[in-house]
Amino acid sequence: MTSMQMRRIEGGWGLLSMVQLLTGVVAPIGFFFPIAILAAAAYRPESHSPDVLYAMSDIYWLMLVGNACIFVLQVWSIGYAALVDNRAKPVFPRWFGYLNLVLGILLVPGAFVFLTKTGPFAWNGLLANMLPTAVYFIWKIATPIVLLRAVKSEEEEAAEKAAPSEQLAST
């Protein structure tokens, strides 16, 4: 739905809507594998040594937090599209564009989790995990609301375009 709304901004399938579509397809894979590793660790914990469970937990967190880079491209494409929309009634509100850009910036430190074990850039650190998670939570609530409003405005635009042609047909 996001790609279709961005397509309205670009007047067809453009670079931004295609980047969002492709990253929207690929990004969930980055969440699936870490969750599968954690599920494997929890499947038979009694049969694994604590070292194996620690290693699996570490892999889970490093992959989950460190794979955010593909999501950065996705939210930046959405944010940029929202900010370049010059229509009288924009598809997305400008604040949503800024929210996407800020989220993308906050996700970048996640790439450094592979280099540090403690501190703000660690998998559980303020910059790599806590702050991005808080803003992601806000984004996750705002996005469906904004998309539902965008779909409603698209329906209203379609009704406005259909109204003059219906009047001509009735005369």
Side-chain angles (χ1 to χ4, degrees), residues 29-129:
I29 295 169
F31 293 109
F32 172 77
F33 287 111
I35 291 170
I37 289 167
L38 191 64
Y43 188 66
R44 289 192 190 107
E46 71 283 350
S47 64
H48 298 294
S49 71
D51 290 340
V52 170
L53 293 176
Y54 277 126
M56 292 177 86
S57 176
D58 289 345
I59 292 168
Y60 164 76
W61 282 108
L62 290 173
M63 286 180 71
L64 185 72
V65 177
N67 282 338
C69 294
I70 192 77
F71 194 55
V72 170
L73 292 175
Q74 184 179 24
V75 295
W76 278 350
S77 67
I78 298 167
Y80 186 70
L83 296 177
V84 299
D85 189 356
N86 293 329
R87 301 154 39 104
K89 190 175 178 186
V91 173
F92 301 131
R94 291 187 79 65
W95 65 262
F96 185 65
Y98 289 116
L99 176 62
N100 277 273
L101 294 178
V102 167
L103 178 58
I105 290 167
L106 290 175
L107 288 170
V108 170
F112 297 102
V113 299
F114 303 105
L115 304 175
T116 60
K117 291 181 183 176
T118 60
F121 292 105
W123 68 268
N124 61 349
L126 178 67
L127 296 178
N129 188 335

Side-chain angles (χ1 to χ4, degrees), residues 140-161:
K140 199 65 173 169
I141 292 170
T143 299
I145 294 168
V146 168
L147 285 172
L148 287 171
R149 288 182 183 164
V151 169
K152 185 178 179 183
S153 74
E154 182 179 21
E155 291 170 350
E156 290 169 358
E157 285 177 14
E160 288 172 8
K161 287 181 183 177

Side-chain angles (χ1 to χ4, degrees), residues 9-24:
I9 295 169
E10 294 180 295
W13 288 108
L15 178 64
L16 297 173
S17 55
M18 289 303 292
V19 166
Q20 197 296 129
L21 178 65
L22 292 172
T23 55

